[in-house]
Amino acid sequence: MKRILLVDDHRTALSALHNLLELDGFSVVSLDSGTAAIERLAVEGFDAVVTDLEMPGANGVEVVRAARTLWPEALVLVITAFPGSPMSSRALELGARRIISKPLRYEVLEQELRERLGGMDGSVH
Amino acid sequence: MDAIARQRGLEVPGDPPDVSPGETAPLLTRQDRVLLVCGAAVILVVVLGAVEALVIGTGLPPESARWVYLGRGALASVLLGLWAGWTVMRFYRRLERERGAFQEQSRVLAERARRAERSAGLAALSRQLAHEVRNPLHAIVLHLRLLRRQIGGEPVEACVATVERLEEEVARIDRLVEEHQRHLQSANPRVNPGPVDLLALLSEESARHRAALFRTGVTLRSELPEHLPRLYGDPGLLRQLVQQLGQYAAENVAPGGTVRLRAMEEDRSVCLELGADCAACEETRDAAGSVLRRAIIRDVARVHGGEYQEEQEAGGFRIRVRLPLGDAG
């Protein structure tokens, strides 16, 4: 089962996305702060990291940097209310695969994950 | 506020220039008079030159010629003095005109800077609002998607919980829009100034907010003086300011925290201070709508000629508003 790290400070959205991804067969770890996500990435790898950008404390750019540095093979996707912002550009520069705008069309995320991660069996890490 | 500004002797944009009734412009300006005198002097010098030529030509005694010389010399000195004075006066007037133009230009530039600052503030605020609105929309869309899945096989309780979350998010958007509208109204408020008993207003509102905060586990300590002078301001806007302070405290202080509301008279002003001590709290929340609340408080203080300061620190915050007394104190 592919493992996904989900990061968003908006807990209501986080729980809904967590449930949807689990219903689609992913193993999901949800964290509501960038700082907690970076700490988790330091000790554990994921097949994909899906992160919000604007968060108090460590923001999404720092999560992208940590994910790409510590786990270069991981797929990194960013969800943001401002896809054209300098922060989004910075996230792409650091290796985010795609910027997905809020409100999220779930099909877009699901398709991206299925295409990039392939089947649901086994884990990269 | 225009009325307050006029009472304080300040210039109000759009007012006609200050001209006293019954005062009429003189027929000749000072410059015209100087020119007339100079012209008359030149004519006199020419006439005296002609007299001198006549004296020399007719062979009158030398004493007569001396008086003509002296007269002409004196007149030439006066003429030179007048010319120098007129030149200096003209230069001074030009400087005055340039100083006036410079002052006007400074005023226009200051006004432009104020508008630019305001536009930048509104742009930042709109961006913040867009972010705040898109977050609950994001959550709603995801929960709708989840609900669609749950309807297929999940128990009814799960569906009801999802619907409740959707309702909460919709209410959140509604609050944001309402706050935004309120802010836009207070950004250019219609001010109806009058004497305001701020102490009574603070006592009334703090009693109301103390009960509301108590229900959320937050303690409100109001430190109000026995006497505060009356303010000259808009009672409705000032009440809104105090209410926004209370709402801000309710949204940003976690259970277990303490809020202090202080008021004091300082240098022909009244200072309001809202501080939160959240040492016992896990975190100080920056709730949705707080940006708008701070903007409303800042704008109400601004239209009353006051000042707004805020400090955010770990485990707390401090908001300080200074309101000048005006003429009601």
Side-chain angles (χ1 to χ4, degrees):
Chain A
M1 189 180 285
K2 299 294 183 185
R3 301 186 69 242
I4 296 174
L5 175 62
L6 201 55
V7 192
D8 194 336
D9 63 318
H10 192 190
R11 292 178 189 170
T12 316
L14 187 70
S15 70
L17 194 52
H18 180 112
N19 290 341
L20 282 167
L21 288 169
E22 277 194 342
L23 285 171
D24 280 331
F26 294 100
S27 169
V28 185
V29 172
S30 300
L31 296 172
D32 63 1
S33 83
T35 309
I38 292 168
E39 285 171 3
R40 189 69 176 256
L41 282 165
V43 295
E44 191 178 356
F46 293 86
D47 296 294
V49 176
V50 180
T51 180
D52 185 20
L53 263 191
E54 299 207 9
M55 293 183 286
N59 61 29
V61 171
E62 290 170 65
V63 174
V64 172
R65 183 188 285 117
R68 295 295 296 164
T69 306
L70 297 168
W71 308 98
E73 299 300 317
L75 170 68
V76 180
L77 300 174
V78 168
I79 300 174
T80 176
F82 300 104
S85 69
M87 276 178 85
S88 301
S89 306
R90 185 73 188 126
L92 286 173
E93 283 170 13
L94 288 170
R97 183 74 186 84
R98 185 170 176 180
I99 305 291
I100 304 172
S101 62
K102 285 182 183 178
L104 175 72
R105 283 176 58 218
Y106 181 71
E107 304 81 25
V108 174
L109 177 67
E110 186 190 7
Q111 187 184 351
E112 192 71 32
L113 289 171
R114 289 198 189 285
E115 279 180 9
R116 302 290 166 194
L117 301 181
M120 293 290 108
D121 299 331
S123 171
V124 173
H125 307 289
Chain B
M1 288 302 99
D2 287 357
I4 299 174
R6 289 190 193 99
Q7 283 181 6
R8 291 177 189 163
L10 300 173
E11 184 186 340
V12 176
D15 277 2
D18 188 16
V19 176
S20 305
E23 191 179 313
T24 55
L27 190 61
L28 291 175
T29 63
R30 187 180 298 176
Q31 190 175 342
D32 293 336
R33 288 198 292 270
V34 170
L35 277 173
L36 272 177
V37 170
C38 287
V42 168
I43 291 167
L44 205 56
V45 167
V46 171
V47 168
L48 281 173
V51 170
E52 182 189 351
L54 193 67
V55 166
I56 293 167
T58 53
L60 284 173
E63 286 75 17
S64 307
R66 190 184 303 148
W67 282 113
V68 172
Y69 285 139
L70 281 172
R72 198 171 62 159
L75 206 60
S77 301
V78 169
L79 188 62
L80 191 66
L82 284 173
W83 176 80
W86 179 64
T87 305
V88 168
M89 193 182 299
R90 200 174 55 167
F91 183 65
Y92 174 75
R93 280 175 176 265
R94 189 175 158 191
L95 279 179
E96 279 286 298
R97 272 199 307 275
E98 286 185 1
R99 192 182 70 155
F102 178 73
Q103 281 176 338
E104 176 61 18
Q105 203 173 2
S106 300
R107 194 188 64 75
V108 169
L109 285 173
E111 177 66 14
R112 276 188 199 162
R114 195 186 66 75
R115 283 183 190 168
E117 189 183 349
R118 176 106 198 109
S119 298
L122 281 175
L125 192 67
S126 298
R127 189 177 185 280
Q128 184 72 30
L129 182 75
H131 181 253
E132 296 293 350
V133 167
R134 278 177 185 155
N135 265 331
L137 280 177
H138 176 62
I140 289 169
V141 167
L142 290 172
H143 277 286
L144 281 171
R145 181 78 187 204
L146 192 60
L147 185 62
R148 195 195 293 175
R149 297 269 185 97
Q150 289 170 338
I151 286 170
E154 292 284 324
V156 175
E157 292 77 18
C159 298
V160 170
T162 305
V163 170
E164 283 173 353
R165 281 181 184 169
L166 286 171
E167 287 170 346
E168 284 170 13
E169 294 302 316
V170 169
R172 187 177 169 186
I173 293 175
D174 190 43
R175 282 200 302 275
L176 280 169
V177 172
E178 188 183 334
E179 291 299 333
H180 190 58
Q181 279 181 325
R182 201 181 293 180
H183 169 64
L184 288 179
Q185 284 166 5
S186 69
N188 293 295
R190 287 188 176 187
V191 182
N192 298 308
V196 180
D197 186 348
L198 196 61
L199 186 59
L201 196 156
L202 284 167
S203 304
E204 187 183 328
E205 288 297 328
S206 60
R208 199 166 67 83
H209 284 286
R210 183 177 289 111
L213 286 166
F214 183 76
R215 285 194 290 274
T216 62
V218 176
T219 307
L220 171 64
R221 289 190 184 143
S222 48
E223 298 170 15
L224 303 177
E226 287 187 3
H227 171 75
L228 266 185
R230 283 172 178 263
L231 267 176
Y232 191 76
D234 187 301
L237 286 176
L238 289 172
R239 182 175 292 277
Q240 191 183 359
L241 183 148
V242 176
Q243 284 173 347
Q244 292 295 330
L245 284 172
Q247 289 290 327
Y248 185 85
E251 287 177 354
N252 286 277
V253 181
T258 303
V259 180
R260 287 183 316 281
L261 176 65
R262 297 175 64 207
M264 65 221 87
E265 184 184 0
E266 277 183 11
D267 191 24
R268 294 286 300 159
S269 298
V270 171
C271 289
L272 301 181
E273 197 176 283
L274 182 79
D277 171 17
C278 287
C281 309
E282 288 179 8
E283 57 178 339
T284 300
R285 299 165 293 172
D286 191 16
S290 291
V291 178
L292 290 170
R293 293 199 192 290
R294 290 198 297 263
I296 292 168
I297 296 166
R298 189 170 51 240
D299 281 341
V300 174
R302 179 180 57 79
V303 296
H304 283 84
E307 291 169 4
Y308 170 89
Q309 289 177 320
E310 64 175 75
E311 291 170 17
Q312 297 283 344
E313 51 198 29
F317 61 82
R318 194 170 73 104
I319 292 176
R320 187 178 165 86
V321 180
R322 189 186 65 78
L323 297 165
L325 289 178
D327 292 333

